[in-house]
Amino acid sequence: MFGFVFLTLLLGYAYSCGVPAYPPYVARVVGGEDANPHSWPWQISLQYDKSGVWAHTCGGTLIATNWVLTAAHCISSSRTYRVLLGKQNLEVEEPGSVAVAVEKTIVHEKWSSLLVVNDIALIKLAEPVQLSETIQPACLPANGAILAQDFPCYITGWGRLWTNGPISDDLQQALLPVVDHATCSKWDWWGFRVKETMVCAGGDGVVSGCNGDSGGPLNCYGANAWEVHGIVSFGSGLSCNTLKKPTVFTRVSAYIDWINEKINLN
C-alpha cells in the first residue's frame, strides 16, 4: 500500500505507469498499422545531431520522468542526442510534445556488438519531463518474468515500413506474438544466437520490426497495465520479415536489478 502511494507521488497523481490516457487500438490483426495517436505515450524517438539537423535513429521507452530505456547498439559516444516525447508524427509540430536534452547515457558493461548480447542502455534526461496525456511511463515487468508461447505483444516504432523502404512518419504498431525460447533456439529458427536473456516475437514471415525500430519497446499487457517486456535488438539480415526469424528483443525482466542499480547510482 505504502509503495503504491509513493509511486503515485513519484509519477504524479493523475498518471501511473502503463495506463495510457488514449487506449491503443489492439484488434488482433496481422500487419503493421498506424497507432491510435498517443496510445503508446512512453514511446520516444531517440534523435542525433546530423550536421545541424536532428535525425531519428532509434526508439526507446520512458520508464520514469527522467529515464529512458533503449538498446546499447543505439548509443555512440561520438554523437549528440536528444529525446523526443509525446510524438505521433515525426515530421509535424504537435501540441504536447517535447524535446529534451540528454544528460548521460549508460550502456551495459558487458554489451557485445560481436555477439549482440546485453543489448541494453539507459538514457538520463537533462531534466524530468512533465507527465501528461501524451507523455507517460511504461511499467517494468516483474524480475525474471517469462512470457508464454503466443502471448500477444505489440511492437511500436517509426522504423522502415518494409525492407530497405522509408522510415514511417507516423508511429506504427504491429501484433507480435511471443515465440518461446525452446522454439526460437531451434536450429532452423535463431539457433544458438538467441540467449535466455532475450525474447523472440513474430516470425510469421509477414510482420516484424525493421531498421529504425531498434531500442523501442515490446509492449505486453500485464496486471491491468502495459509493461515493456523487450527492447528491439536484432532481426534477419535477409529481410525484416523472414519466416522463422522473429524479431529478437533484449528481455527486460532479465535486467531489472541492473536497471534499478544504475538509476539508484545516477
Side-chain angles (χ1 to χ4, degrees):
M1 177 63 189
F2 294 109
F4 173 74
V5 171
F6 176 69
L7 185 68
T8 52
L9 288 172
L10 208 64
L11 295 175
Y13 285 105
Y15 305 105
S16 58
C17 71
V19 184
Y22 304 98
Y25 174 68
V26 289
R28 296 192 63 162
V29 296
V30 172
E33 59 187 344
D34 287 358
N36 187 26
H38 310 299
S39 59
W40 308 102
W42 41 85
Q43 172 82 46
I44 67 95
S45 168
L46 180 64
Q47 305 195 328
Y48 71 101
D49 187 341
K50 188 179 183 182
S51 307
V53 178
W54 291 104
H56 171 82
T57 181
C58 276
T61 307
L62 187 72
I63 57 169
T65 54
N66 60 338
W67 287 98
V68 165
L69 196 58
T70 191
H73 80 262
C74 289
I75 304 298
S76 166
S77 58
S78 63
R79 284 180 169 178
T80 299
Y81 293 101
R82 73 171 185 176
V83 169
L84 219 50
L85 305 104
K87 292 297 290 180
Q88 170 70 10
N89 185 303
L90 292 182
E91 294 302 309
V92 298
E93 289 289 323
E94 292 171 320
S97 69
V98 295
V100 184
V102 169
E103 180 182 312
K104 67 166 68 173
T105 56
I106 303 168
V107 172
H108 197 285
E109 304 79 2
K110 294 184 178 177
W111 152 241
S112 167
S113 57
L114 184 67
L115 301 172
V116 200
V117 291
N118 301 308
D119 192 6
I120 185 171
L122 283 164
I123 298 170
K124 187 178 185 185
L125 303 180
E127 56 189 348
V129 291
Q130 184 73 39
L131 300 183
S132 67
E133 289 189 340
T134 59
I135 301 172
Q136 293 168 245
C139 300
L140 292 173
N143 195 349
I146 302 285
L147 296 173
Q149 174 80 4
D150 289 330
F151 192 96
C153 297
Y154 288 82
I155 186 174
T156 49
W158 289 278
R160 295 189 189 278
L161 293 168
W162 56 83
T163 307
N164 299 323
I167 73 162
S168 176
D169 291 340
D170 285 300
L171 184 66
Q172 299 288 297
Q173 68 176 52
L175 173 68
L176 283 192
V178 168
V179 178
D180 64 23
H181 183 76
T183 303
C184 199
S185 57
K186 288 179 177 176
W187 70 269
D188 56 336
W189 286 65
W190 277 113
F192 66 89
R193 286 198 60 187
V194 66
K195 312 299 182 192
E196 297 274 3
T197 53
M198 301 171 184
V199 57
C200 303
D204 62 0
V206 180
V207 187
S208 72
C210 205
N211 313 69
D213 288 326
S214 284
L218 182 67
N219 306 281
C220 310
Y221 197 74
N224 301 316
W226 288 94
E227 300 171 343
V228 52
H229 272 265
I231 301 165
V232 180
S233 181
F234 66 88
S236 172
L238 298 172
S239 75
C240 290
N241 42 4
T242 303
L243 186 65
K244 293 189 176 181
K245 292 292 180 285
T247 306
V248 181
F249 301 78
T250 304
R251 178 167 64 81
V252 175
S253 66
Y255 293 93
I256 299 297
D257 290 343
W258 182 84
I259 292 167
N260 289 333
E261 178 196 342
K262 297 304 173 190
I263 289 177
N264 290 335
L265 286 174
N266 292 278

